[in-house]
Amino acid sequence: MDSEDDMHDANDLDSVEDDFYSGDTGMGSDDGDAHYDFGDNESDDSDDITSRQQQNYTILSEADIRQHQEEDISRVSTVLSIPRYAACILLRHYNWSISRVHDEWFADEERVRKIVGLLEKPVEMPNSRELTCGICFENYPCDCMNSASCGHPFCLACWRGYISTSISDGPGCLMLRCPDPSCSAAVGQDIVELLATDEDKEKYSRYLLRSYVEDNRKIKWCPAPGCEFAVEFVIGSGNYDICCSCSYNFCWNCTEEAHRPVDCVTVAKWILKNSAESENMNWILANSKPCPKCKRPIEKNQGCMHITCTPPCKFEFCWLCLGPWSDHGERTGGFYACNRYEAAKQEGAYDESERRREMAKNSLERYTHYYERWATNQSSRQKALADLHSMQNEKLEKLSDRQSQPESQLKFIIEAWLQIVECRRVLKWTYAYGYYLPEHEHAKRQFFEYLQGEAESGLERLHQCAEKELQIYLDAESPMKDFNDFRTKLAGLTSVTRNYFEHLVQALETGLEDVGSSNSQATCSKSSSLKILGNKSKSGKIKPAGTNSASGAPSRSMDDGNLWSCDHCTFANPKSNNTCQMCEHHR
Amino acid sequence: MASSNLPPRIIKETQRLLSEPAPGISASPSEENMRYFNVMILGPAQSPYEGGVFKLELFLPEEYPMAAPKVRFLTKIYHPNIDKLGRICLDILKDKWSPALQIRTVLLSIQALLSAPNPDDPLSENIAKHWKTNEAEAVETAREWTRLYATGA
Ligand SMILES: [Zn+2]
Ligand SMILES: [Zn+2]
Ligand SMILES: [Zn+2]
Ligand SMILES: [Zn+2]
Ligand SMILES: [Zn+2]
Ligand SMILES: [Zn+2]
Ligand SMILES: [Zn+2]
């Protein structure tokens, strides 16, 4: 499959990577103070990941699905010495699991035959010149009748009608039985092929194809709208991320959009959370109260505590204490401060529902914080996808023209954009991750936010290079001689960012387990997750990460001036501390 | 609908229903519509419906016999598989329908259902519950209803 190879020729990048790290040019040559040190170049690692992904699933086109299905049917038919239609019925019954079919069959053939309606000895139709059709009650000559293996005769028109009705009822037609109510003989594809209309044959074969995917534990349709590929997965092989040939990434396990580093359960929770209904409930809880008189929910939308219920009720009451407004005035501390409420609150007397409203309001604010960032990355990703397409469809050609480079030499730009799209996706899900990271795990939260910030600025740097810096070469009137430097830089950034994100995903997936959570002053061990910060550049010099002021990265106050980067874990500590806040390593 | 438009199968079934009626069952097509049948079923002996005469309507849809006939009780009946509107919960009227079944087999099945109510597959929740918690009392109610509504008095 060509399309599949396309998706995986990320390997091509290895050569670029090699250039990048062995070349003397050094990608910072133009840009002296740029440090690309937020990830070790562990190309062995990323190779592993790539090849593992290639092994644990296969993308199937419709032709592939049919071929797999045919092969399975042939295999069962050969091993059990039964006709193909019978093998197909058996496979369908046991959800297309060849081993199940074999196990059941060899354990108790008689029982299996009975369950699926395969008679051991076919019965011929009654041997007389004329037969009565069991459906239309007409008499026909023998050769105008047909039967399943049970010999119950029906005329061709009735068979056609029977099959057609069953097919229009849905996929149950794959388990069709003889029309005789006392008979359970299976009616297989052989009879359908012999007796049904062309249209019905086509529908039947579609159902059969769909069944091979939908009833099969190992195969699923790609969930992207309009995509017709299916994915065959090696069960138990771990990593659920699937990249379909249509370029959609999804999770095998829950079929939501790919969501590493967050697990499926969290994704489901988050999606539920995002569904308008559940949040609206909280919003209403936080922003509305029932009118004390008519009990309809009243929404407070102005600062004033004086609420008038909507007609016909029109009851005037105080938002804070829900008492009638007529009781309010000088006595209660003025119209804008309800002493009764303050007093009641101090006495702890304000009721449970009030407390719940407060909590809902706080949790709503917290949720909104994460949701906004999640959604922003989502739209950035959409934008990056659109940019990727315009790059593929027009800009690449233009660039090839302007810089006199064959398009085949410009693949690194597409790689960069694919990486940006992927990083946006990961970054997006880190916000759902952050939302569910317990508040009290201060060290983890701190570390997590640090990693997230680094990821953000690293990605910004790549984005900047792939967008703004590229523009110079797109606008150039004639080929520029530093284009090769640009290539080296962008390819390098792509690779470094990919590694960083891959490690970030791994660290979050292991639940930041290496970060102590016993006290707020974190302790971190010599852990694998800390390698992601890859604090050593090739020269062995230690540099704080994310310091490129020209990158346009979100300000993370990672200014060299006020911070020092820990040797051990690279955490950026304020100058005023001499021990690392993260790992207590001395400066 | 003129009978000339009827499929031969329906004509044959009708003729046989009239010439050899099943015991305790009568079914006759309406004058105006040969696909519409007036049905009467006698309450089976040793059932709480014994002594009752139950009226039903039966209609053969256009797709018959590929689709099941539509049948409904017109007489009020206290039965866990029959609801207030007289609709019947019976597998052969739904997913177990086969075009090789006939009006006769359907009506015989309904008659059998009167002899053997099945509260585990109920159409009427309340009656089914009654049947399961206190069968004797439920049977008594069924008898009462038979007397009240099905004796033609
Ligand atoms: Zn026929
Ligand atoms: Zn048969
Ligand atoms: Zn797809
Ligand atoms: Zn998932
Ligand atoms: Zn009111
Ligand atoms: Zn008040
Ligand atoms: Zn440290």
Side-chain angles (χ1 to χ4, degrees), chain A residues 134-139 154 157-163 165 178-181, chain B residues 7-10 12-13 16 63 65-67 92 96-102:
Chain A
I135 294 177
C136 65
F137 302 171
E138 301 285 327
N139 291 332
F154 302 96
C158 285
W159 265 118
R160 204 167 291 134
Y162 180 66
I163 293 169
T165 305
C178 166
D180 187 309
Chain B
R9 151 146 179 176
I10 294 181
K12 280 188 191 169
E13 272 201 76
R16 205 172 146 228
E63 305 80 36
M66 291 308 165
I92 59 160
K96 290 280 159 42
W97 171 252
S98 156
L101 291 167
Q102 306 175 26

Side-chain angles (χ1 to χ4, degrees), chain B residues 102-149:
Chain B
Q102 306 175 26
I103 299 172
R104 172 187 302 269
T105 39
V106 166
L107 296 179
L108 285 167
S109 301
I110 292 172
Q111 195 183 40
L113 190 66
L114 295 186
S115 292
N118 178 10
D120 291 323
D121 182 20
L123 191 57
S124 177
E125 282 294 341
N126 289 340
I127 300 177
K129 213 160 133 200
H130 195 187
W131 224 273
K132 281 169 106 167
T133 51
N134 189 346
E135 188 173 337
E137 193 185 287
V139 165
E140 199 42 57
T141 309
R143 235 178 234 126
E144 182 71 13
W145 280 39
T146 304
R147 208 167 43 74
L148 277 173
Y149 306 111

